[in-house]
Each structure stands twice: as C-alpha cells, then as structure tokens.
Amino acid sequence: MNKTVFKTQEGKNKIIRAYDDTINSASLPLKTYMVQTTFGDTYFLESGSQHQEILILLHGASSNATSWLSDIAEYSKQYRVIAIDILGEAGKSAENRPSYKTTDFADWLKEIFDKLNLSKATIIGLSQGGWLALRFAISYPILVDRLILLTPAGIIPTKKNIHYKSPFL
C-alpha cells in the first residue's frame, strides 16, 4: 500500500470542501454512502432507479466521483448509476492505494459488487478507471455486462523518448 495522494492536510481539506460544495450544488438527486472493504472504506455517489440496469463509473487518477456529475445526470435517466471514489485518489475513499502489480484493485471492486449485491453491471472507466475496469473484467468477466474504456491508462507500457514528427508542422 502506498502513502496518501494528498501532499498536506490543508490540501486534503480543500479538496474535500470542494467535493462537498460540488455535491451540495448538484441539481440532481444523489445518494452518498460509504462501504467498508478489506482494502479500505469506499465512498459512492448514486442516482437513478433501483429497478434499472446498473452502470458503474470509475474516474481517472487524481480525481474523484464528482468528475462524473454531468454524466450521472444523463445516465441516471436510464440506469442506476454508481460512481465510485477509487481508493488512494483525491476523494472520500480510503487514502491507501492497493498495488498495481497484483489483482488487489480487481478484488476490491469484487468486494464492492458483493457488498452491494450486484450480479452484473456495465462499467465505464476513464483513464486509470479504464485500467481498473479492464483489470476487473479480466478477473471477473461474469460480473461485467458491457465494458466501456475511455482513454484507458496502463494498458501498454509508456514509451520514453519517442520522437514524433507531426504531419501538420
């Protein structure tokens, strides 16, 4: 487990205040709650009907579930939307970050599925959230209805010293 993403307590407090302000000013019905997992407490935003298909939203690095608010407003018309604050990122979930070298992130998300009694869901992952969604789908394919990856990070190693010449310059 790595140290916290927050550089200072003051910085963390500012982020959490901005998070709360964003939620409080949102013009959509949101439920917020925390679920305990063996990897740490996990915070959620939820909107939509309990009787609709489930859509899980996983944000990118250095972000949190509030980055999905405008999407939640649209998606919740058709889905039960659950936006998750990924562990170790700038949100309200536990500050510890599981290892990227193991299946810990996939196992963490599996625990969430179990705690929320989810048998299957569509998952949208952005950047780091895309990596996590793919890792989960590989580990627990039976739980994934559809997988949507938006600029997923970490799928292939980043190449260093690439010399690219733009055709437009």
Side-chain angles (χ1 to χ4, degrees), residues 143-164:
L143 299 176
V144 179
D145 187 29
R146 288 178 300 264
L147 183 64
I148 302 158
L149 306 177
L150 306 171
T151 61
I155 303 301
I156 59 171
T158 302
K159 294 182 180 180
K160 296 178 182 173
N161 298 325
I162 295 176
H163 299 289
Y164 175 75

Side-chain angles (χ1 to χ4, degrees), residues 88-131:
E89 296 302 330
K92 290 188 169 188
S93 288
E95 294 178 37
N96 57 292
R97 181 177 291 146
S99 173
Y100 291 114
K101 296 178 181 180
T102 67
T103 61
D104 285 356
F105 271 108
D107 297 339
W108 162 74
L109 193 51
K110 169 69 165 74
E111 275 192 50
I112 292 167
F113 269 64
D114 292 345
K115 298 263 183 181
L116 300 179
N117 296 314
L118 305 178
S119 59
K120 190 168 269 216
T122 294
I123 304 173
I124 299 178
L126 171 66
S127 191
Q128 177 191 5
W131 171 86

Side-chain angles (χ1 to χ4, degrees), residues 5 9 13 31 43 47 82 98 101 111 114 160 165:
V5 69
Q9 185 61 44
N13 294 342
K31 289 187 252 178
Y43 193 79
S47 188
I82 302 170
K101 296 178 181 180
E111 275 192 50
D114 292 345
K160 296 178 182 173
K165 185 175 181 180

